[in-house]
């Protein structure tokens, strides 16, 4: 298990813009070095639909991802992942085997809502 990261201030935390979005499209990403999906995630009218590459193939199928709410960092610079420009970082935690389990919410949250 990784050690705890160095302490940060609340202002540091507020620099990371984590929002809830809804997956509106998911497709295979065979060109990725590690198994991954390409996701289109709707963050509401202020942010819009953003693309993400997510290594979540161990626990999720394409069909079950569409309509699912996910958390993502929306203010990182876009990053080229093979032929895909990933615009947001979809968030998850590792399971016992190191595979990604998506961060979710247990109640209905407003699309585009910011984590606080």
């Amino acid at each position: 298990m990784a050690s705890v990261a160095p302490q940060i201030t609340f202002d540091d935390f507020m620099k990371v813009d984590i929002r809830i979005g809804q997956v509106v499209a998911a497709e295979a990403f065979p060109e990725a070095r590690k198994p991954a999906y390409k996701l289109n995630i709707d963050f509401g009218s202020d942010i819009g639909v953003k693309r993400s590459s997510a290594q979540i193939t161990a626990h999720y199928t394409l069909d079950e991802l569409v309509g699912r709410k996910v958390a993502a960092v929306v203010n990182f610079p876009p990053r080229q992942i093979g032929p895909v420009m990933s615009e947001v970082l979809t968030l998850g935690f590792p399971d016992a085997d190191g595979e990604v389990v998506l961060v979710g919410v247990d109640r209905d949250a407003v699309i585009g809502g910011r984590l606080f």
Side-chain angles (χ1 to χ4, degrees):
M1 178 102 3
S3 62
V4 175
Q7 282 190 345
I8 61 172
T9 67
F10 185 75
D11 288 340
D12 290 333
F13 169 73
M14 290 305 295
K15 291 176 186 176
V16 182
D17 193 349
I18 300 171
R19 304 284 180 126
I20 192 81
Q22 187 165 19
V23 177
V24 294
E27 57 187 282
F29 188 7
E31 306 90 351
R33 276 187 265 146
K34 294 182 180 178
Y37 294 140
K38 295 182 274 189
L39 305 177
N40 287 350
I41 306 169
D42 181 8
F43 292 97
S45 60
D46 288 345
I47 298 171
V49 175
K50 299 292 182 181
R51 292 187 54 89
S52 182
S53 168
Q55 296 175 1
I56 56 174
T57 59
H59 292 297
Y60 305 95
T61 65
L62 293 171
D63 289 340
E64 71 182 308
L65 287 168
V66 175
R68 183 185 183 94
K69 290 187 178 172
V70 296
V73 176
V74 298
N75 66 330
F76 283 153
R79 183 173 177 188
Q80 191 73 43
I81 310 289
V84 173
M85 184 61 74
S86 187
E87 301 172 293
V88 299
L89 176 64
T90 305
L91 300 175
F93 291 104
D95 69 7
D97 297 319
E99 299 292 345
V100 178
V101 177
L102 289 169
V103 173
V105 293
D106 65 354
R107 299 283 190 273
D108 193 25
V110 176
I111 298 298
R114 185 171 181 175
L115 179 74
F116 57 85

